[in-house]
Amino acid sequence: MQKLLLLGDEAIAQAALDAGISGIYAYPGTPSTEIMEYIQVSKKAADNNVHRQWSVNEKTALEAAIGMSYAGKRAIVCMKHVGLNVAADAFMNVAITGTNGGLVILSADDPSMHSSQNEQDSRYYGQFAFIPVFEPSNQQEAYDMTVAAFDFSEKHNVAVLLRITTRLAHSRAGVKCHYKREQNKLKFPDNPRRFILLPAIARKQYIALLEKQEAIRKDIESSTFCTYIDGEDKSMGIITSGIAFNYLQENYQDKKCPYPIVKITQYPLPLKYINKLADECDSLMLIEEGYPLIEQQIKGLLNRGLKVKGRLDGSIPRVGELNANIIARALGLPDTQGEAVPDIVVPRPPALCTGCPHTDTYKALNEAIEPYGKGRVFADIGCYTLGALPPHNAIFTCVDMGASITMAKGATDAGLNQAVAVIGDSTFCHSGITSLFDCVMENTPLTVFILDNSTTAMTGGQKSHASGKIENICLGLGVDKDHIHVIKPLPKEHDKNVEIIAKELKHQGVSVIIPERECIQTLKRKTRTQK
Amino acid sequence: MNINIILAGVGGQGILSIATIIGNTAVKQGLYLKQAEVHGMSQRGGDVQSHLRLSDKEIAADLIPMGKADIIISVEPMEALRYLPMLKPKGWVITNTNPFINIPNYPEKEVLLERINKLSHKIALDADEISKNLGSARSSNMVILGAASPFLQLKIEDIEQTIKETFISKGQEVVDVNIACLHAGRDFADKNK
């Protein structure tokens, strides 16, 4: 069978299509974005009328996917790890309702924070909600385990959390796509009342969820995805999770690892293998991509008995992504490294593109706010976060999606005058609308910049639902129309823009300024295609 | 056969076009491949790299261990030096000499080139100049690929064939100029290695 050269993300997308999904729901977020993008251009998805539009945020995405599952059909929902925080309410509660059609929730973690605010480990959400977690170790497993996750979901009536990390999401390898299944037919849940989480029903459902856990664990213990690999040297046993297995193997290219290994790719933990390893070996080493989740679970409260090495005792660094060198050092194997980086090499941080509309917005804002001093511009998540770096030095916060407006409000409530929020069109749509409504209700004196570049730029130019509708949304929320200004962020408009901003900074109520100009990257791409 | 390649450059310079052509050539020959890419924030003009691993045996990790890269292929001179800790002793550095300057403290070009010259195994060429002279400023990456081709354990004819397949939808002229760039890079490497 011919192999397709696929990113981990693409392998998951192809597997979801082959497993007969009727819809994918997602909000763009590195490193998960390419799953939806793959399905959006897939002929198979178009031929089978698979739902494949971006959602407004991760919560609405997950809720729509739960609805599709309720209707008996298979759905996948995709997000980055911090997106699962946004969707957490739906996530925790779909554990209680259970599912009908197969439901797979993909969360892509970003250890070492290549493109994120934190490196939270989504496996904890699985444990928290009693939702089984699948964690493939390579691109082929990403395909196979996605297919398996849908069957698993339908067998146990639970959602399955598919956890990947940046390195698998954005790395390509040959994948055999061997599966094919039709979509489900519409079918109501056997017991529709289990989707009504009134306390009396929820209590029963919660007990049913806990009772399911043993059957789920038994299935995982008999699955082929978790394995025990014997080794002669029982002085130590090694437990790996997900792609950590590969970094261990990398250190034994031409010889077999002398220690027995338990390779874990599914949770709740296959205790059968872990007990076997603990019985046979004098000590254990845990190699996990992410937080020390398994290590904490098996170490126990008092840490008596078996010696356990891993991220908690410092054998492996507590933070950051793994690699083969880290594992070599932990195992006492020879480490390798080339020449040092010459001193003349300087960092090259990312920056706003030449010709980016945000540059002109920041120039005007910096000038207008100068008389009031620094520290009063609250920003958000997107390309414009790069305004924190020189030469702009224009923003002072970036916490979570939508936080700019509400943090500016809180700071104003605390007595900070001339607070400004800066948020992009897509982020505004994702989580800023409710924040602005909080300000309108109290007529908080602040100025909100909603940067409309007609796209979700940072993740590569996905559709932004609010673009072009922002003025009307603000009017609908009750912002005074005299204090809504659409400006053109262009060098030639600079003086005019500074004047408008300066005037609104003085306004004792909610002002909204909408700098409207298309992202230079999407504009270039369009011009190129038109040629 | 087992080869580890670091591709280096600046976000937006299109290092993945080189990776795609090497990768597709390798896969057609039944080799295993793993290629880790950088997406997201760094693509906005930051330093980017891709790990490309080819082997006739199954490959374990997506990342090349430090000190185990056989080649660094860089489309920018300072970026070539950033990944020296990845390179194995006697590994080759293939680099463009034309700087991409988007930071205020970029080092002097002469100092950079001097440092590159000190490397024991290197091919350094102005790929932009060469591709411009051949009539396609946008094809400098194919010059770099050509300069790296003697070290890839792949036949130049097979690479040529992949270039044909990749660019044919854009017309024969585009195919021809890209192949000319490939050979110009190759000739430079053959004379200077």
Side-chain angles (χ1 to χ4, degrees), chain A residues 3 5 34 115 139 167 170-173 246 250 325 336-339 341 344 346 348 350-351 383 457-458, chain B residues 10 34-35 37 39 41 44 46-47 53 60-62 65-66 76 78-79 82 84-85 87 100 102 107 115:
Chain A
K3 287 183 182 173
L5 205 49
E34 292 79 2
S115 213
Q139 291 79 356
R167 210 49 73 180
H170 288 167
S171 177
R172 226 173 266 284
N246 306 339
E250 187 68 34
N325 299 82
T336 52
Q337 183 150 349
E339 267 182 67
V341 183
I344 46 165
V346 292
R348 195 190 302 256
C383 285
M458 180 58 96
Chain B
V10 180
K34 282 216 170 191
Q35 183 202 331
E37 304 170 2
H39 297 210
M41 190 176 247
R44 298 277 163 271
D47 55 270
R53 316 189 72 185
D62 299 280
M66 304 264 276
E76 208 281 343
M78 183 173 78
E79 296 310 321
R82 193 184 301 282
L84 288 182
L87 194 64
F100 185 94
N102 63 345
R115 182 64 186 80

Side-chain angles (χ1 to χ4, degrees), chain A residues 1-6 172-176, chain B residues 1-5 19-35 52-60 149 151-155 158-159 162:
Chain A
M1 170 177 248
Q2 192 166 3
K3 287 183 182 173
L4 296 176
L5 205 49
L6 299 176
R172 226 173 266 284
V175 177
K176 281 186 190 151
Chain B
M1 191 267 186
N2 186 8
I3 187 160
N4 290 323
I5 305 164
T20 305
I21 288 170
I22 299 176
N24 287 342
T25 309
V27 166
K28 272 189 278 176
Q29 297 176 20
L31 293 171
Y32 288 95
L33 170 148
K34 282 216 170 191
Q35 183 202 331
L52 180 58
R53 316 189 72 185
L54 311 176
S55 178
D56 50 14
K57 289 195 288 290
E58 202 146 351
I59 302 161
S149 62
F151 313 100
L152 296 174
Q153 303 181 41
L154 297 171
K155 283 194 215 127
D158 294 334
I159 299 175
T162 310

Side-chain angles (χ1 to χ4, degrees), chain A residues 350-370:
Chain A
L352 292 174
C353 309
T354 308
C356 173
H358 303 331
T359 303
D360 294 306
T361 300
Y362 281 138
K363 270 187 190 151
L365 171 59
N366 275 347
E367 192 173 322
I369 207 164
E370 222 252 312

